[in-house]
Amino acid sequence: MKYLHGAWVMGLLILAGCASAPPSEEQQARTEAIEDILSQPLPSEEYAEEVRCLSTHSYRSVEVLDPEHVLFEGTGDRVWVNKLRNRCVGLRRNDTLRFELRDNRVCNLDSFEAVDSFLWFWERTSGTCTLGNFIPVTPEQVAALKAALRDGD
């Protein structure tokens, strides 16, 4: 039993070391490119400033861009990027997300996880992720974000 406990503690220490590793030059460049794209001002008639919550009726799809950014597509050309509070371990493109909803809306500080379904069961595939504010973006900014992320792969 002591061996099993020691192996578990060693595994946690290894994971902690991985989590605190500094970002590579490629990751740093990609993060800077994303921040540059998101900092571009929108025309005042396009959207309001970033918002804390979105009604489930205001968006029709959710797309994972990377472990730090999730895209919410609304009706028309309304689109928001959510920069997660922290990098979400295990979050990948094409993941299905399961949100903890209250009052039919998703908000800053709400949590979610990526899941896969197998028969009638849900299998968790990511850690628990926490939303940040919703940043309105244009379709052109979305295309630039996707290109920057694709170039980083």
Side-chain angles (χ1 to χ4, degrees):
M1 191 66 154
K2 284 184 180 180
Y3 176 76
L4 194 54
H5 177 72
W8 185 76
V9 170
M10 183 60 86
L12 283 178
L13 290 174
I14 290 170
L15 284 175
C18 292
S20 63
S24 69
E25 287 183 28
E26 284 182 13
Q27 289 172 327
Q28 185 64 31
R30 184 177 68 177
T31 298
E32 289 173 7
I34 291 169
E35 293 301 323
D36 184 50
I37 293 165
L38 292 177
S39 70
Q40 300 300 316
L42 294 175
S44 60
E45 68 274 3
E46 289 281 336
Y47 299 102
E49 292 188 22
E50 63 184 59
V51 293
R52 189 178 177 291
C53 296
L54 288 181
S55 161
T56 54
H57 303 293
S58 63
Y59 65 91
R60 64 175 185 265
S61 67
V62 179
E63 178 184 350
V64 175
L65 297 176
D66 70 0
E68 297 178 74
H69 299 90
V70 177
L71 186 71
F72 288 77
E73 294 186 55
T75 56
D77 285 340
R78 298 200 65 167
V79 185
W80 299 267
V81 169
N82 191 287
K83 183 172 184 347
L84 304 178
R85 290 284 174 177
N86 297 301
R87 184 176 184 83
C88 188
V89 176
L91 188 62
R92 299 177 309 266
R93 292 181 196 164
N94 301 320
D95 275 346
T96 299
L97 306 182
R98 182 173 60 191
F99 291 91
E100 300 280 333
L101 293 178
R102 293 182 305 251
D103 302 326
N104 291 322
R105 60 188 187 152
V106 291
C107 294
N108 180 353
L109 298 178
D110 282 353
S111 60
F112 69 92
E113 58 192 16
V115 293
D116 281 334
S117 63
F118 178 73
L119 298 175
W120 297 280
F121 301 100
W122 289 97
E123 179 184 334
R124 186 170 153 174
T125 62
S126 75
T128 300
C129 311
T130 306
L131 293 170
N133 282 337
F134 296 86
I135 304 165
V137 292
T138 64
E140 294 78 20
Q141 286 175 306
V142 171
L145 284 169
K146 289 181 177 182
L149 291 169
R150 195 172 35 252
D151 291 344
D153 288 345

